[in-house]
């Protein structure tokens, strides 16, 4: 059966004046050989490729999706805890918490009960995972670094996309709702929601593509993106300071980045906190002084927050959070909040243990969200602060909310998840 352009499935009929294709014994034998070759090739792919090294145990039914509770919580009730590796905000989908076992297996858990409902395992080490555009995307060690990438729809319990390409053995994700940026020390890629690559930047293994990258031999430090542009800080052998490069998220040719601006910044260190279409917010080290800067170009920077000393924690996926209007960074002692449109410093909260979570915010732009309160982790519990001012309005004790390291927070419906000390803890938020 062949598909006609209008979508009908009908057998082809001979056209008038066109002879029917011949079917000699030799033709049939050749067709059989070709068919056997195709089957053999498919068998090799299945037995040696990425599919043979992974296993998806889906849930019995589609998983629900929950909009986030937007009311300010007045109390928390501890529910359950599960061990999970990783750092930063707990990995969540529209309806599941996803924990990670020591062997890298992803466990999808019921948002309320914490019971396992599905799992995905791969033979290689888990490099990084993220959730965007209704897909859970996970990258694993393969034949060439963090090369095996799989996307799952956690709601319908289906595979959606896969990709394999050479990458460094280290990877971290930053993403919008429609694009994901994969960053390694020598290479950066941006993928659409179907895992089609829109940008490759840095070291390119294909020799036939030599000369398409603007520079070579650079070490990539930090990066972030919007759907229009991405920014990356890098150390290049020809520069005497950290370089900041801004480029298009979707250039005409995914092999050749389209630069907006690129130059050495004069900073000994530069770590991106947030990228917007108006500028780049970054922590900078200049001559022994530390400050958060707003850069409207690589060579035009203004200080928005001076720091007394070198921070304990630099900006990273584990120390950053936000909601589109506000970017927050935890420096090891305090959480600092900034306006993403202007770079202005809006407030700082001392005595916290992580960058916090905007109550009621969802990354999905179609979800009903609110940006009225920020929940900040502190020793012995959490505090609720006003989003725009940071003024603390409530304290929510939680006796289990203690432990070393940076605390990451996430939310599904009216359940709050806290990652700390190698485990994720769930709390029922009551209003």
């Amino acid at each position: 059966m062949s598909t006609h352009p209008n979508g009908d499935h009908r057998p082809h009929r001979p056209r008038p004046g066109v002879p029917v294709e011949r079917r000699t014994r030799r033709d049939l034998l050749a067709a059989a050989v070709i068919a056997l070759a195709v089957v053999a090739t498919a068998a090799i792919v299945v037995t040696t490729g990425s599919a043979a090294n992974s296993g998806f145990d889906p849930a019995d039914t589609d998983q629900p999706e929950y909009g986030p509770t937007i009311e300010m919580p007045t109390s928390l009730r501890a529910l359950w805890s599960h061990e999970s590796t990783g750092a930063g905000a707990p990995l969540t989908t529209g309806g599941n918490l996803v924990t990670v076992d020591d062997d890298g297996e992803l466990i999808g858990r019921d948002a309320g009960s914490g019971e396992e409902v599905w799992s995905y395992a791969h033979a290689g080490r888990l490099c990084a995972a993220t959730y965007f555009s209704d897909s859970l995307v996970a990258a694993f060690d393969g034949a060439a670094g963090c090369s095996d990438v799989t996307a799952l729809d956690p709601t319908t319990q289906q595979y959606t996309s896969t990709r394999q390409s050479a990458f460094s053995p280290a990877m971290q994700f930053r993403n919008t709702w429609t694009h994901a940026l994969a960053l390694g020390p020598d290479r950066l890629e941006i993928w659409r929601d179907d895992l089609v690559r829109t940008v490759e930047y840095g070291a390119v293994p294909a020799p036939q593509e030599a000369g398409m990258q603007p520079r070579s031999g650079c070490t990539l430090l930090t990066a972030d993106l919007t759907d229009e542009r991405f920014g990356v800080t890098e150390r290049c052998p020809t520069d005497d300071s950290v370089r900041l490069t801004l480029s298009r998220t979707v250039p005409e040719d995914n092999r050749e980045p389209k630069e907006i601006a690129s130059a050495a910044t004069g900073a000994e260190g530069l770590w991106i906190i947030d990228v917007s279409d108006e500028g780049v917010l970054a922590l900078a080290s200049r001559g022994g002084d530390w400050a958060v800067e707003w850069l409207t170009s690589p060579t035009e920077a203004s200080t928005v927050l001076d720091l007394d000393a070198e921070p304990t924690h630099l900006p990273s996926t584990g120390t950053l959070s936000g909601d589109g209007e506000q970017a927050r960074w935890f420096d090891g002692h305090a959480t600092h909040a900034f306006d993403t449109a202007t770079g202005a410093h809006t407030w700082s909260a001392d005595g916290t243990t992580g960058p916090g979570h905007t109550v009621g915010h969802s990354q999905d732009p179609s979800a009903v969200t609110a940006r009225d309160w920020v929940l900040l982790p502190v020793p012995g519990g959490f505090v609720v602060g006003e989003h725009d001012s940071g003024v603390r309005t409530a304290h929510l004790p939680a006796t289990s909310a203690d432990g070393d390291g940076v605390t990451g927070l996430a939310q599904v419906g009216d359940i709050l998840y806290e990652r700390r000390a190698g485990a994720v803890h769930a709390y029922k938020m009551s209003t």
Side-chain angles (χ1 to χ4, degrees):
M1 300 281 282
S2 61
T3 304
H4 285 249
N6 61 4
D8 294 337
H9 296 270
R10 298 191 292 261
H12 284 298
R13 296 177 180 175
R15 296 181 183 178
V18 178
V20 178
E21 295 181 6
R22 66 179 187 174
R23 293 172 60 84
T24 66
R25 180 177 295 179
R26 180 178 297 178
D27 295 327
L28 294 175
L29 180 60
V33 171
I34 293 172
L36 288 174
V38 171
V39 171
T41 301
I44 292 173
V45 170
V46 170
T47 57
T48 64
S50 179
N53 297 322
S54 64
F56 183 30
D57 185 13
D60 295 332
T61 60
D62 288 0
Q63 294 300 287
E65 292 188 334
Y66 303 98
T69 295
I70 62 176
E71 299 296 329
M72 183 184 75
T74 57
S75 64
L76 297 175
R77 177 168 58 89
L79 297 177
W80 43 261
S81 300
H82 284 290
E83 293 184 357
S84 183
T85 63
L91 183 59
T92 58
T93 71
N96 293 141
L97 167 74
V98 182
T99 59
V100 183
D101 284 354
D102 290 338
D103 59 2
E105 183 176 12
L106 302 174
I107 307 295
R109 300 186 180 278
D110 178 270
S113 70
E115 295 297 319
E116 178 180 338
V117 291
W118 60 263
S119 65
Y120 178 79
H122 193 281
R125 172 186 60 90
L126 176 66
C127 297
T130 190
Y131 177 69
F132 75 105
S133 194
D134 294 321
S135 291
L136 179 66
V137 175
F140 295 85
D141 255 342
C146 295
S147 59
D148 292 2
V149 185
T150 299
L152 307 172
D153 186 327
T155 300
T156 63
Q157 297 291 285
Q158 300 290 327
Y159 285 103
T160 58
S161 307
T162 62
R163 68 170 291 114
Q164 286 185 301
S165 59
F167 207 85
S168 61
M171 178 186 289
Q172 54 183 294
F173 282 128
R174 298 290 294 269
N175 59 271
T176 68
W177 185 242
T178 56
H179 292 91
L181 184 153
L183 176 68
D186 63 349
R187 180 176 176 82
L188 175 157
E189 293 189 2
I190 297 178
W191 307 326
R192 298 187 323 209
D193 56 358
D194 56 2
L195 297 188
V196 171
R197 185 176 61 206
T198 66
V199 168
E200 63 174 349
Y201 183 92
V204 177
Q208 65 270 23
E209 296 180 2
M212 302 189 77
Q213 294 293 319
R215 283 164 297 281
S216 63
C218 299
T219 299
L220 310 186
L221 303 177
T222 58
D224 192 19
L225 79 164
T226 72
D227 289 329
E228 298 296 327
R229 62 174 60 188
F230 72 93
V232 57
T233 58
E234 51 190 331
R235 294 187 186 276
C236 298
T238 58
D239 296 331
D240 58 2
S241 62
V242 175
R243 173 178 290 267
L244 172 63
T245 299
L246 300 171
S247 303
R248 297 293 181 192
T249 299
V250 186
E252 293 183 2
D253 188 335
N254 72 77
R255 301 168 301 169
E256 186 173 10
K258 179 64 174 178
E259 285 191 354
I260 300 170
S262 181
T265 60
E268 292 92 32
L270 195 68
W271 298 265
I272 292 177
I273 296 173
D274 184 75
V275 169
S276 71
D277 293 335
E278 290 75 28
V280 176
L281 190 68
L283 171 68
S285 171
R286 298 177 185 271
D289 294 328
W290 292 80
V292 176
E293 298 180 346
W294 175 246
L295 297 97
T296 52
S297 78
T299 57
E300 297 177 322
S302 59
T303 298
V304 296
L305 175 66
D306 284 311
L307 301 177
D308 294 334
E310 179 179 353
T312 303
H313 293 305
L314 300 173
S316 68
T317 53
T319 62
L320 297 173
S321 68
D323 52 40
E325 294 180 0
Q326 184 178 90
R328 293 184 298 272
W329 165 51
F330 172 64
D331 69 3
H333 303 282
T335 299
H336 308 288
F338 306 88
D339 187 308
T340 59
T342 65
H345 171 238
T346 52
W347 52 265
S348 292
D350 294 327
T352 57
T353 61
H357 168 70
T358 305
V359 177
H361 171 67
S362 171
Q363 190 180 2
D364 184 350
S366 66
V368 177
T369 62
R371 296 182 177 90
D372 296 327
W373 303 281
V374 175
L375 201 58
L376 295 170
V378 296
F382 307 87
V383 294
V384 179
E386 292 183 356
H387 181 274
D388 296 338
S389 66
V391 173
R392 301 186 181 191
T393 59
H395 177 261
L396 307 179
T399 56
S400 61
D402 285 314
D404 297 330
V406 179
T407 303
L409 301 178
Q411 175 186 359
V412 175
D414 60 358
I415 308 297
L416 174 71
Y417 304 106
E418 173 200 32
R419 184 204 298 272
R420 57 177 172 77
V424 174
H425 310 271
Y427 303 88
K428 171 79 170 182
M429 295 192 295
S430 299
T431 59

